[in-house]
Amino acid sequence: MSGPEPRYDRRAASRVLAALARPGLGAPPVLPPPRRVEYTCAALQSEPGSHLTLSQRLYLERFMRPCRADQVTSATHRIAWTDSDGIPNTGHYRVGGLGAIVPIAMRETVLTLWHALQADTALAQRISELTPRDEAVLEGTTTDHEPFEIFRVGIEAAGRALAQHALLARWTPYRTPAEFAVGMRDSGIYGAVATRWFWELQASSYRRGMIAVRLTTQPDGTVRYSAETVATLRAMKDMTIEDAHRVMRRATHTEGLTVAEAITKYHDELDLISRQYALLPPGTRPACLAAMPHQLDGEHYSILPVVIDTFTEVFTRIVDRVTVAEVAADTGSDTAELAAEDQVFYVPDMTCKHCIRTITGVLESMSVGVQDIDLNSKRVVAEFRSPRNRHRVFEALRDSGYNPTAATPATSESAV
């Protein structure tokens, strides 16, 4: 017998997750040993007369209306490195800020908390005891469905928020990575991200090394979003919700489809603007599920402060255990020949059909044919002309927010 039909209910889904997390979210974190991380670095190439790259400008114009270019801060450099789990990563920093250490230490913090989550057998037991009704709510409301994956994504989102806001560090009172992390927590910036941003804006702008935020310092030394930032984020979120509603109205009213049929037919379009927003009641402005408050056993509880407190504590300890060093990138030559296996590469963060379209488009725009691209294995087979040609394609993919690597990912679920 099949279980209940998926049911869209954001508050109910948030309550299910809060009940799972409240007894404890993750085993005690085990800090990694001190580590030296080598990274390669490349300056972002902005368009003539602009401080934005081509990828940043296109994303701004297509998905960030009504935000203006002058409201966006861009990274100056992109870095690439391999984390302690053996997974290739890319990140960004801005000259005059806190440097490459923030995205690298952030990633190690995320891994540490992921490992602690995996080691929490009590949490696993509570998840296994969820009722079919609770599972139906998570399936109908969330993107990832499985509680463990939802918590993993939440931890990663906290890390992204830290590294992305570090692009603004020079305009804050905080002068070290640890000070900045504590200041972010004490200023309530994570709560602002959870309530004012929308998911795709954070994920896509993070991958491109850009942030549409201005920070103002308060008399008590904390920072806040400027009034203009708050208004712009609200307008972007409202427009995203309206885009999603417009797609759903067209499908269900004009075309006469059911909601399930509409989601299936317009999966790719709704995937960009959030399937969940398409199902929101009119006039509703959603917040992150982790930010919703609940009364559990007579006590006030919200997941977000718990995650952020733990994240900040672990980051401030790990950042002192990590040293970073820039190394030269191997770009290859234009005349060297490629072996057959060199035509194969992997994109650990290729997660949907939209990613496939983007990656294929980048390669074809550079006159590189795509022989095969597989979402499950993250494997791409392309017709590179030389090692240098492959290097240039990899750089273009990184500018589009992806992390190509010639090596097989350790595990697809560990990839960012």
Side-chain angles (χ1 to χ4, degrees):
M1 181 180 297
S2 61
E5 287 292 320
R7 181 168 67 92
Y8 184 76
D9 188 330
R10 294 185 69 83
R11 177 152 289 279
S14 175
R15 187 176 181 84
V16 170
L17 296 173
L20 290 172
R22 183 173 177 269
L25 189 59
V30 178
L31 296 184
R35 181 168 182 252
R36 181 178 186 270
V37 178
E38 295 182 344
Y39 66 92
T40 59
C41 183
L44 293 189
Q45 299 299 315
S46 58
E47 291 187 297
S50 172
H51 68 292
L52 301 180
T53 67
L54 172 62
S55 174
Q56 290 171 341
R57 178 178 63 80
L58 292 177
Y59 184 77
L60 170 71
E61 293 174 351
R62 187 174 180 191
F63 296 113
M64 294 175 64
R65 294 171 295 142
C67 183
R68 306 184 310 270
D70 64 277
Q71 295 174 297
V72 176
T73 296
S74 170
T76 57
H77 291 76
R78 181 179 58 248
I79 63 171
W81 78 100
T82 299
D83 64 34
S84 58
D85 272 12
I87 303 297
N89 287 265
T90 59
H92 298 86
Y93 73 90
R94 185 174 177 83
V95 168
L98 298 174
I101 183 66
V102 173
I104 292 174
M106 175 275 283
R107 175 63 180 176
E108 293 304 310
T109 303
V110 168
L111 293 179
T112 297
L113 295 179
W114 279 358
H115 297 159
L117 201 64
Q118 185 72 54
D120 189 345
T121 55
L123 174 62
Q125 180 63 32
R126 293 194 298 275
I127 292 174
S128 71
E129 294 171 351
L130 284 177
T131 67
R133 180 180 177 86
D134 289 341
E135 292 175 344
V137 167
L138 293 180
E139 182 178 353
T141 307
T142 67
T143 300
D144 297 284
H145 304 335
E146 296 293 332
F148 181 77
E149 290 304 316
I150 295 170
F151 291 137
R152 273 173 52 98
V153 169
I155 291 168
E156 183 184 359
R160 283 201 302 256
L162 176 67
Q164 193 170 22
H165 284 76
L167 297 177
L168 307 172
R170 65 181 297 180
W171 295 289
T172 73
Y174 317 121
R175 291 295 170 260
T176 69
E179 279 185 12
F180 185 79
V182 172
M184 280 272 291
R185 179 198 64 193
D186 294 349
S187 297
I189 296 299
Y190 294 99
V193 173
T195 55
R196 302 190 184 280
W197 291 53
F198 57 91
W199 177 256
E200 182 64 24
L201 175 63
Q202 192 203 18
S204 292
S205 58
Y206 168 79
R207 288 200 303 261
R208 288 169 174 80
M210 58 194 293
I211 184 170
V213 164
R214 290 287 185 273
L215 295 174
T216 60
T217 302
Q218 306 300 299
D220 63 358
T222 60
V223 295
R224 296 287 187 273
Y225 282 180
S226 70
E228 183 183 44
T229 290
V230 171
T232 301
L233 288 172
R234 177 169 181 164
M236 284 193 287
K237 193 170 189 176
D238 286 347
M239 191 162 291
T240 298
I241 294 170
E242 176 53 33
D243 285 346
H245 280 167
R246 184 167 55 250
V247 172
M248 188 59 69
R249 283 196 303 268
R250 183 180 71 223
T252 56
H253 294 171
T254 305
E255 301 179 35
L257 302 178
T258 66
V259 170
E261 290 169 341
I263 290 173
T264 299
K265 181 175 180 178
Y266 293 103
H267 175 272
D268 290 344
E269 192 171 354
L270 289 173
D271 183 60
L272 293 178
I273 54 181
S274 180
R275 176 174 69 89
Q276 284 72 32
Y277 288 178
L279 301 176
L280 279 172
T284 303
R285 184 176 291 106
C288 169
L289 298 182
M292 292 185 181
H294 299 278
Q295 287 290 326
L296 299 176
D297 298 328
E299 295 182 0
H300 179 85
Y301 182 80
S302 178
I303 300 174
L304 184 64
V306 176
V307 172
I308 297 310
D309 285 348
T310 303
F311 189 95
T312 304
E313 179 185 356
V314 173
F315 177 86
T316 56
R317 297 170 67 187
I318 284 181
V319 76
D320 290 332
R321 304 165 72 92
V322 174
T323 57
V324 299
E326 182 181 350
V327 296
D330 181 11
T331 61
S333 69
D334 281 324
T335 58
E337 294 185 359
L338 283 171
E341 60 268 23
D342 293 330
Q343 304 285 5
V344 178
F345 68 98
Y346 298 84
V347 185
D349 42 9
M350 179 171 62
T351 58
C352 65
K353 291 181 180 178
H354 170 63
C355 296
I356 291 177
R357 289 202 309 271
T358 301
I359 292 166
T360 301
V362 169
L363 268 65
E364 291 180 346
S365 71
M366 301 179 73
S367 300
V368 174
V370 179
Q371 296 180 3
D372 183 56
I373 184 165
D374 181 69
L375 185 60
N376 292 330
S377 65
K378 320 294 186 185
R379 181 176 183 266
V380 182
V381 183
E383 299 171 353
F384 296 118
R385 297 182 294 278
S386 69
R388 187 177 292 277
N389 176 234
R390 184 176 67 173
H391 172 76
R392 288 169 176 163
V393 169
F394 278 18
E395 287 298 290
L397 287 172
R398 290 183 182 115
D399 193 41
S400 296
Y402 294 95
N403 302 301
T405 174
T408 304
T411 61
S412 60
E413 69 176 14
S414 295
V416 175

